[in-house]
Amino acid sequence: MGPHPAVAAIRLAVRRVLHDVLTEHTRNSTHGHTCDSAGHARDAGHPRRTPPSESTEAGAGRRCPALPDTPLVLVACSGGADSMALASALAFEARKLDVRAGGITVDHGLQDGSDTRAAEVVDRLAAMHLDPVESVAVRVGHEGGPEAAARDARYAALDEAAERHGAAAVLLGHTRDDQAETVLLGLARGSGIRSLSGMAAASGPAGRYRRPFLQLDRQTARKACLVQSLPVWDDPHNIDPAYTRSRLRHEGLPALEKALGKGVVEALARTARLSRDDADALDTWAVEAERAVRDEAGRLECAKLYALPPAVRRRVLRRAVVEAGSPAGSLFARHIEEVDRLITGWRGQRAINLPGRVEALRQGGRLVIRQS
């Protein structure tokens, strides 16, 4: 008799991602790769843009050490049901494929005994024969609120660990329920279509972060832990009404399902997939349009910007503001709307101050975006 349906579902989801990782690894090994000036491997077909401050001779385009024969895939595991189910599936599938599997747990230090719990997670991952396995302690700041600050600290730690171990991918346990919550949070903020597209199946540098469970519900992951007798830790923050996502999870979504009927989570996740396709298409259009709206000196021409469809124009503006030094995570739709009014509603406005000490102003028919 085969495994329980929940276990079979999580293993299949992970198996598909591991096959993708292996295919990409084989392609990079076969077609060759080059190193950037820091010695990091990158796909030969997707060269990194070299900042003017970097030497064009010291290391740029040089050959770097061959990729290891067996790619390493790490699982980010908090000890909760979603990530424990993910770790168990990775451990099982990696043994059948030419993949090394390891695990990372991040200790945010936000609760008493968090270091002890992190050590317990490390022991559980090691018992699954994952290697390497480690706990990384981080300091959570305050910028953007507690949830955003914790997320930023967590991803910084995972990025560092992935670089240090040379991991080909890091698996995250986000489920379809998490996706639905993300879409609703985007709606509540009045964000654009990119925010409504939720979390991507692959994101981060070179698609480092993979989310195998976006098509699976949270209950499937929890059931898989139960039937495999996997101990799980339920983070009290997940039921703390002080946190927006917690209120949405335990009050908002149940209220929507009561009012609209079952299927709200599935519908929101489907909205995310459709929105992502549209957003990707618009982003591609914006990249092409940006080249056409700059003059010979590379300055943005207001008349040409005005001729673009609003959705494309605002993407061009956002790219330019981020490139000038504004942190993407601190840049909201209202900021871009203010910059857009320099194009569509010009009445001699003063310079607009943006996050990251970036300013945008209109001079002689050109849009100037620079750090002040």
Side-chain angles (χ1 to χ4, degrees):
M1 190 173 74
H4 186 279
V7 175
I10 64 170
R11 289 177 178 175
L12 176 60
V14 168
R15 189 184 315 143
R16 288 170 172 166
V17 169
L18 294 184
H19 277 300
D20 290 342
V21 171
L22 279 169
T23 298
E24 294 161 12
H25 183 80
T26 301
R27 182 170 62 243
N28 290 339
S29 299
T30 302
H31 297 298
H33 55 282
T34 57
C35 274
D36 59 20
S37 58
H40 298 130
R42 55 183 170 86
D43 217 341
H46 297 84
R48 184 178 68 90
R49 299 178 71 179
T50 305
S53 60
E54 290 187 9
S55 167
T56 57
E57 297 177 0
R62 65 183 179 179
R63 301 300 294 182
C64 60
L67 290 172
D69 293 335
T70 306
L72 170 65
V73 176
L74 299 174
V75 58
C77 185
S78 67
D82 301 340
S83 59
M84 284 298 292
L86 183 59
S88 71
L90 173 62
F92 181 84
E93 293 296 332
R95 288 195 292 268
K96 302 192 298 180
L97 299 169
D98 195 19
V99 173
R100 291 179 294 135
I104 303 291
T105 187
V106 177
D107 175 13
H108 297 84
L110 297 176
Q111 301 167 11
D112 292 338
S114 63
D115 55 341
T116 301
R117 282 189 291 273
E120 291 172 352
V121 173
V122 167
D123 289 342
R124 291 169 189 170
L125 296 178
M128 296 178 185
H129 304 292
L130 298 181
D131 182 37
V133 171
E134 66 180 33
S135 169
V136 180
V138 299
R139 170 169 285 186
V140 177
H142 302 285
E143 186 174 352
E147 292 167 284
R151 181 178 62 248
D152 290 345
R154 180 167 58 255
Y155 277 102
L158 292 174
D159 277 334
E160 189 278 331
E163 293 285 350
R164 178 160 39 86
H165 290 292
V170 178
L171 305 189
L172 304 176
H174 296 122
T175 64
R176 186 171 63 191
D177 301 80
D178 296 308
Q179 186 76 297
E181 293 162 7
T182 301
V183 173
L184 281 177
L185 288 170
L187 279 170
R189 288 192 298 262
S191 303
I193 193 171
R194 173 57 68 189
S195 183
L196 299 186
S197 65
M199 296 174 285
S203 64
R208 167 181 293 157
Y209 295 107
R210 310 296 175 102
R211 298 177 174 87
F213 289 175
L214 285 183
Q215 304 302 318
L216 301 177
D217 61 27
R218 190 174 290 138
Q219 190 58 38
T220 297
R222 185 166 288 276
K223 185 67 175 178
C225 289
L226 179 64
V227 299
Q228 295 179 101
S229 299
L230 294 175
V232 299
W233 172 65
D234 290 317
D235 187 344
H237 283 172
N238 290 335
I239 57 173
D240 187 344
Y243 294 94
T244 304
R245 188 177 285 268
S246 175
R247 294 195 301 274
L248 179 60
R249 179 174 302 176
H250 298 287
E251 300 173 24
L253 269 172
L256 280 175
E257 291 203 328
K258 182 177 180 180
L260 302 176
K262 295 292 183 181
V264 170
V265 168
E266 292 87 344
L268 288 169
R270 185 166 58 251
T271 295
R273 291 196 300 273
L274 296 173
S275 297
R276 181 163 296 279
D277 289 342
D278 292 347
D280 287 346
L282 287 168
D283 284 347
T284 300
W285 187 355
V287 171
E288 297 171 353
E290 184 176 357
R291 292 191 289 267
V293 298
R294 292 187 181 273
D295 62 17
E296 294 180 354
R299 297 172 299 181
L300 292 166
E301 298 187 63
C302 295
K304 292 181 178 179
L305 283 167
Y306 184 85
L308 293 175
V312 177
R313 180 175 62 245
R314 288 171 184 158
R315 279 169 166 76
V316 171
L317 296 177
R318 190 179 194 282
R319 284 171 53 85
V321 171
V322 171
E323 190 173 291
S326 191
S330 302
L331 200 59
F332 302 126
R334 58 182 172 82
H335 294 128
I336 302 304
E337 288 170 1
E338 290 180 18
V339 178
D340 195 38
R341 278 194 285 273
L342 295 176
I343 307 299
T344 62
W346 173 242
R347 295 183 180 83
Q349 299 99 311
R350 293 182 179 181
I352 295 171
N353 295 318
L354 300 162
R357 296 187 298 105
V358 172
E359 65 175 12
L361 65 157
R362 181 165 172 158
Q363 289 181 340
R366 303 292 190 272
L367 185 64
V368 179
I369 302 174
R370 65 194 180 195
Q371 280 196 314
S372 57

